[in-house]
Amino acid sequence: MHSTATPATPAGSATTTSTHCPYCALQCGMGLTTGPQGVEVVERAGFPVNKGALCGKGRTAPAVLSSRVRLTEPLVRSRATGELTPASWEEALDRVADALTRTRAEHGADACGVFGGGGLTNEKAYALGKFARVALGTSQIDYNGRFCMSSAAAAGQRAFGLDRGLPFPLEDIPRTGCVILVGSNLAETMPPALRYLTELRENGGTLIVVDPRRTRTAEQADLHLAPRPGTDLALALGLLHLVVAEGRTDDAFIEERTSGWEEARAAAMAHWPEHVERITGVAVPQLRNAVELFCGADAAMVLTARGPEQQSKGTDTVGAWINLCLATGNAGRPLSGYGCLTGQGNGQGGREHGQKADQLPGYRKLTDPAARAHVAGVWGVDPDSLPGPGRSAYELLDALGGDIKSLLLMGSNPVVSAPRAAHVEERLRSLDFLAVADVVLSETARLADVVLPVTQWAEETGTVTNLEGRVLLRQRAVAAPAGVRSDLDVLHGLAERLGHGKGFPTEPEEVFEELRRASAGGPADYSGISYERLRADDGEGVFWPCPAGAEGAEGAEGAEGSEGSEGPGGGVVGGTPRLFLDRFATGDGRARFVPVVHRDAAEEPDAEYPVLLTTGRVLAQYQSGAQTRRVDELNAAAPGPFVELHPRLAARLGVEEDDPVAVVSRRGRAVAPARVTSAIRADTVFMPFHWPGEGRANTLTHPALDPVSGMPEFKVCAVRVERA
């Protein structure tokens, strides 16, 4: 257990609230006990996702509730000294509203930008999208989830007509026959989920891990494929080529439930095994072994994460893995399919309800006249008044100080997390005005003209949607410090100053009731979900889609493809836990093959930059580290950045363990201690991206964008490595 230093309840009293971890998309269940000793995390064994297990980040989450490490009063930049100084809420909100009003008057509504986060609750994401489009009238809104799973979302939409991270519950994974895990290190990024892979192997199933590093997760695999970074697309196409050549396609499934096979087949056949070996570095016998394991199972799954997705061809790469599933009949059937391991805490819900540049609540398209009319009706505005789609996340950040003069940013830290981060920091500094709402004084908040201290997970009630599409209620467990307000309060206060106060309630449940109406009939239909329902049934959550009137998935209008409402354990599971079992969410009910071909990364190695850089996370830190870097226990486990390099590269450079090394790309230079290991390819170095300063990995990364998803190419760029 971990406790904060300050008691949250009167001496002698104690209470326990069921809630969820504030970090990754597992949204592990936990209990918070408040009493004389402060706030303690206790086990919540009944929650099905983690069954009580927590990683170090979850156990220590209450540490960030402490007033010693978080913001407790608004800050404004002094016009006299240029320093951030304490201010009243009235002064802070007035400054933000005045700046936004002035920007609109002088440059137009689209000169105001809004940038959100994948950690915001559904209510906040919904209100932020509404605020941008109604109170500001701007099209310039996006969020950091664009940097997380957007390529998988785009590929899922193309193939299935619907994007939900996992179309089945996590509990199905141990019951399948084979899992190909592509570009995910669950042992460090989502430790409680590793048990699903352990149980898979205990049940006789096989695990194939695709990763250029031999990670803790890869060590658990029956087969580890270590492709050159940026070649996952060729690898998937090579496997599909072998499936066809060896006669392992499921022709009946292809005929009955898909379209576009011949074009996709022809594209894959251009990627013969020896050609793929030359591109990826994965030997032909390993390719054949992977096909044998995958096709030899009665049912199989492919799960992807940021490795294949954070590329300038990420949508096509995920599409190639989906094609492999479709060609073998491993989709739309029990215990099989493609799934994305969404990363951020509310990465799924955060992209469903309107803070994404091209979407309206309910996962509706902003360009669809019927969608605009429906949402405008809920909002009480003219559909024609709603702006069209805006820029994707990096494009928005790149436009700061140019077309975009003022920015309201909530729950994101792009100074650390954005690609080409030094350039993004420069763009933020060039703004006429920057307002940041956050829990802590992040690196981005330090650049702001106004900083607004907001409540965090344990201090507020709200819903989140985990990687399974399970909508959960996080309940308020402790009181926030006196000088802190919720993001909903912030948006209400700003909207009121802009003449729209009535449309922006501050109570989360009231916002959720409006979200239900706005999402009704959309792909992500939450209309059958209520706070009352989420509080019932031991708080296990409800899977979307869940139309109004649907007690479970069976018979629910719009919940086509469900297996029914009864889970494997016999209990009733609300909503639609399993998608696509009857039909896919396309117009004709068929899944769509998309023909794709391999292409190089945006930046390949050359004589000047001969090594590949890939980036990722470590166990004890999370995302930009804005919160986890404030926890002593986590810092002791992961105190700073490092450069992981192969012994052959280290010997060539004359570098030994812990020697400082510089990694240099065309965008900048980062310095960190060497970590010499044979667990990485000799042509590749790895850096975690949690830290600012001279060890900032994203100083180096490439901003080339996937043309479909807008995802930057975080996972591969050309660098040189030097002794520092």
Side-chain angles (χ1 to χ4, degrees), residues 454-521:
V454 291
T455 51
Q456 54 181 308
W457 62 292
E459 301 162 350
E460 60 189 14
T461 295
T463 61
V464 293
T465 306
N466 83 342
L467 77 173
E468 308 163 293
R470 188 191 298 256
V471 183
L472 303 162
L473 182 64
R474 284 202 312 221
Q475 301 190 86
R476 181 177 181 269
V478 300
V484 173
R485 296 185 183 181
S486 77
D487 298 82
L488 296 179
D489 280 305
V490 169
L491 292 174
H492 173 82
L494 294 176
E496 192 170 47
R497 286 164 171 78
L498 296 169
H500 294 273
K502 289 186 178 179
F504 294 88
T506 60
E507 287 300 319
E509 188 165 4
E510 187 177 348
V511 177
F512 190 79
E513 287 300 306
E514 186 178 304
L515 181 157
R516 293 175 65 193
R517 299 196 304 276
S519 74

Side-chain angles (χ1 to χ4, degrees), residues 261-316:
W261 166 236
E262 289 305 320
E263 294 84 355
R265 178 185 181 279
M269 297 313 288
H271 299 76
W272 60 95
E274 293 76 13
H275 178 51
V276 169
E277 178 180 317
R278 286 195 294 272
I279 294 172
T280 64
V282 178
V284 171
Q286 285 191 304
L287 298 174
R288 295 188 184 279
N289 191 9
V291 169
E292 176 65 32
L293 293 174
F294 189 70
C295 295
D298 291 336
M301 298 174 178
V302 172
L303 305 176
T304 68
R306 307 301 80 76
E309 297 163 17
Q310 287 182 326
Q311 299 183 31
S312 60
K313 52 183 180 291
T315 301
D316 284 355

Side-chain angles (χ1 to χ4, degrees), residues 297-384:
D298 291 336
M301 298 174 178
V302 172
L303 305 176
T304 68
R306 307 301 80 76
E309 297 163 17
Q310 287 182 326
Q311 299 183 31
S312 60
K313 52 183 180 291
T315 301
D316 284 355
T317 301
V318 174
W321 290 105
I322 291 174
N323 286 348
L324 178 67
C325 290
L326 294 175
T328 55
N330 284 300
R333 290 176 170 173
L335 306 181
S336 70
Y338 163 76
C340 164
L341 298 171
T342 299
Q344 294 192 73
N346 195 31
Q348 182 70 51
R351 69 180 179 268
E352 293 168 1
H353 297 298
Q355 66 172 331
K356 195 162 172 273
D358 55 354
Q359 287 176 192
L360 289 169
Y363 227 141
R364 288 181 159 90
K365 293 181 179 178
L366 191 53
T367 53
D368 178 1
R372 293 170 66 89
H374 174 84
V375 174
V378 174
W379 289 350
V381 300
D382 184 342
D384 292 338

Side-chain angles (χ1 to χ4, degrees), residues 672-686:
R675 186 170 293 181
V676 182
T677 173
S678 59
I680 193 168
R681 292 174 55 98
D683 59 2
T684 301
V685 295
F686 167 84

Side-chain angles (χ1 to χ4, degrees), residues 364-707:
R364 288 181 159 90
K365 293 181 179 178
L366 191 53
T367 53
D368 178 1
R372 293 170 66 89
H374 174 84
V375 174
V378 174
W379 289 350
V381 300
D382 184 342
D384 292 338
S385 71
L386 298 178
R391 294 174 171 92
S392 68
Y394 180 78
E395 294 171 308
L396 191 157
L397 294 171
D398 189 41
L400 300 180
D403 293 343
I404 300 174
K405 307 295 184 182
S406 295
L407 181 69
L408 171 64
L409 185 146
M410 284 187 160
S412 186
N413 189 18
V415 166
V416 178
S417 64
R420 196 184 173 196
H423 172 73
V424 169
E425 180 176 347
E426 178 187 316
R427 293 292 85 214
L428 285 160
R429 291 180 183 276
S430 73
L431 284 164
D432 292 349
F433 183 83
L434 172 63
V436 173
D438 209 333
V439 172
V440 297
L441 191 63
S442 69
E443 287 71 25
T444 304
R446 292 180 186 277
L447 305 181
D449 297 284
V450 175
V451 181
L452 303 169
V454 291
T455 51
Q456 54 181 308
W457 62 292
E459 301 162 350
E460 60 189 14
T461 295
T463 61
V464 293
T465 306
N466 83 342
L467 77 173
E468 308 163 293
R470 188 191 298 256
V471 183
L472 303 162
L473 182 64
R474 284 202 312 221
Q475 301 190 86
R476 181 177 181 269
V478 300
V484 173
R485 296 185 183 181
S486 77
D487 298 82
L488 296 179
D489 280 305
V490 169
L491 292 174
H492 173 82
L494 294 176
E496 192 170 47
R497 286 164 171 78
L498 296 169
H500 294 273
K502 289 186 178 179
F504 294 88
T506 60
E507 287 300 319
E509 188 165 4
E510 187 177 348
V511 177
F512 190 79
E513 287 300 306
E514 186 178 304
L515 181 157
R516 293 175 65 193
R517 299 196 304 276
S519 74
D525 190 336
Y526 283 34
S527 61
I529 307 174
S530 65
Y531 271 38
E532 181 181 9
R533 185 172 183 178
L534 293 173
R535 288 187 180 108
D537 301 323
D538 297 321
E540 291 191 8
V542 177
F543 291 83
W544 72 259
C546 185
E551 290 305 315
E554 195 168 23
E557 182 183 353
E560 294 168 308
S562 167
E563 190 179 48
S565 58
E566 191 168 297
V572 173
V573 180
T576 314
R578 296 171 182 85
L579 299 170
F580 312 140
L581 298 182
D582 300 324
R583 67 190 308 274
F584 295 96
T586 56
D588 59 6
R590 291 172 174 265
R592 294 184 286 253
F593 282 97
V594 178
V596 295
V597 296
H598 176 71
R599 58 186 186 271
D600 287 342
E603 186 178 73
E604 292 287 343
D606 56 20
E608 188 177 2
Y609 300 96
V611 178
L612 290 166
L613 168 70
T614 192
T615 65
R617 286 170 49 190
V618 297
L619 175 62
Q621 301 289 353
Y622 181 72
Q623 304 301 67
S624 76
Q627 295 183 45
T628 51
R629 284 187 277 111
R630 287 167 168 78
V631 180
D632 293 341
E633 181 178 328
L634 300 180
N635 281 332
F642 57 85
V643 180
E644 192 176 275
L645 68 165
H646 191 274
R648 289 207 297 272
L649 177 57
R652 230 171 25 244
L653 297 170
V655 167
E656 297 183 355
E657 186 79 5
D658 291 329
D659 284 351
V661 295
V663 182
V664 185
S665 78
R666 289 178 173 86
R667 289 153 297 281
R669 183 175 189 266
V671 178
R675 186 170 293 181
V676 182
T677 173
S678 59
I680 193 168
R681 292 174 55 98
D683 59 2
T684 301
V685 295
F686 167 84
M687 289 189 72
F689 55 70
H690 309 291
W691 288 274
E694 70 170 5
R696 181 174 60 184
N698 278 319
T699 296
L700 309 168
T701 49
H702 202 298
L705 302 182
D706 181 288

Side-chain angles (χ1 to χ4, degrees), residues 32-352:
L32 286 184
T33 297
T34 60
Q37 302 306 311
V39 185
E40 296 183 339
V41 172
V42 296
E43 184 178 289
R44 186 180 162 193
F47 186 64
V49 170
N50 62 310
K51 298 182 179 178
L54 291 169
C55 72
K57 294 184 291 291
R59 287 188 297 99
T60 61
V64 187
L65 299 172
S66 169
S67 296
R68 293 184 295 106
V69 301
R70 54 92 56 84
L71 293 165
T72 58
E73 58 186 346
L75 303 173
V76 299
R77 195 161 298 281
S78 168
R79 295 185 175 98
T81 67
E83 301 296 319
L84 287 172
T85 58
S88 69
W89 269 98
E90 294 306 306
E91 180 185 355
L93 291 174
D94 283 346
R95 279 214 196 181
V96 179
D98 289 348
L100 294 172
T101 299
R102 185 169 58 253
T103 298
R104 285 201 306 168
E106 295 177 1
H107 304 285
D110 276 356
C112 295
V114 177
F115 199 86
L120 301 180
T121 63
N122 290 319
E123 293 81 359
K124 294 177 187 178
Y126 172 85
L128 189 62
K130 182 180 179 182
F131 175 83
R133 295 183 174 104
V134 174
L136 289 178
T138 182
S139 66
Q140 300 304 303
I141 175 173
D142 209 65
Y143 80 127
N144 64 14
R146 180 79 68 171
F147 298 159
C148 189
M149 71 298 289
S150 59
S151 291
Q157 291 278 7
R158 289 201 310 196
F160 308 129
L162 184 69
D163 155 49
R164 195 182 81 185
L166 294 180
F168 41 72
L170 284 161
E171 64 191 28
D172 285 2
I173 292 174
R175 302 164 63 224
T176 193
C178 178
V179 169
I180 300 181
L181 183 68
V182 189
S184 171
N185 183 13
L186 278 179
E188 297 200 50
T189 59
M190 294 180 173
L194 188 64
R195 70 178 180 86
Y196 292 104
L197 300 180
T198 303
E199 290 172 12
L200 166 75
R201 299 186 70 214
E202 290 172 350
N203 292 340
T206 55
L207 173 64
I208 301 169
V209 171
V210 179
D211 198 304
R213 303 165 63 222
R214 187 162 182 80
T215 63
R216 295 181 188 178
T217 307
E219 289 173 352
Q220 309 299 313
D222 298 281
L223 177 62
H224 173 214
L225 307 179
R228 182 175 177 269
T231 65
D232 309 84
L233 175 52
L235 178 64
L237 288 164
L239 296 180
L240 182 52
H241 176 110
L242 285 170
V243 166
V244 175
E246 296 178 4
R248 294 177 179 271
T249 55
D250 188 331
D251 296 336
F253 178 87
I254 291 170
E255 174 67 25
E256 294 167 9
R257 298 202 58 191
T258 72
S259 63
W261 166 236
E262 289 305 320
E263 294 84 355
R265 178 185 181 279
M269 297 313 288
H271 299 76
W272 60 95
E274 293 76 13
H275 178 51
V276 169
E277 178 180 317
R278 286 195 294 272
I279 294 172
T280 64
V282 178
V284 171
Q286 285 191 304
L287 298 174
R288 295 188 184 279
N289 191 9
V291 169
E292 176 65 32
L293 293 174
F294 189 70
C295 295
D298 291 336
M301 298 174 178
V302 172
L303 305 176
T304 68
R306 307 301 80 76
E309 297 163 17
Q310 287 182 326
Q311 299 183 31
S312 60
K313 52 183 180 291
T315 301
D316 284 355
T317 301
V318 174
W321 290 105
I322 291 174
N323 286 348
L324 178 67
C325 290
L326 294 175
T328 55
N330 284 300
R333 290 176 170 173
L335 306 181
S336 70
Y338 163 76
C340 164
L341 298 171
T342 299
Q344 294 192 73
N346 195 31
Q348 182 70 51
R351 69 180 179 268
E352 293 168 1

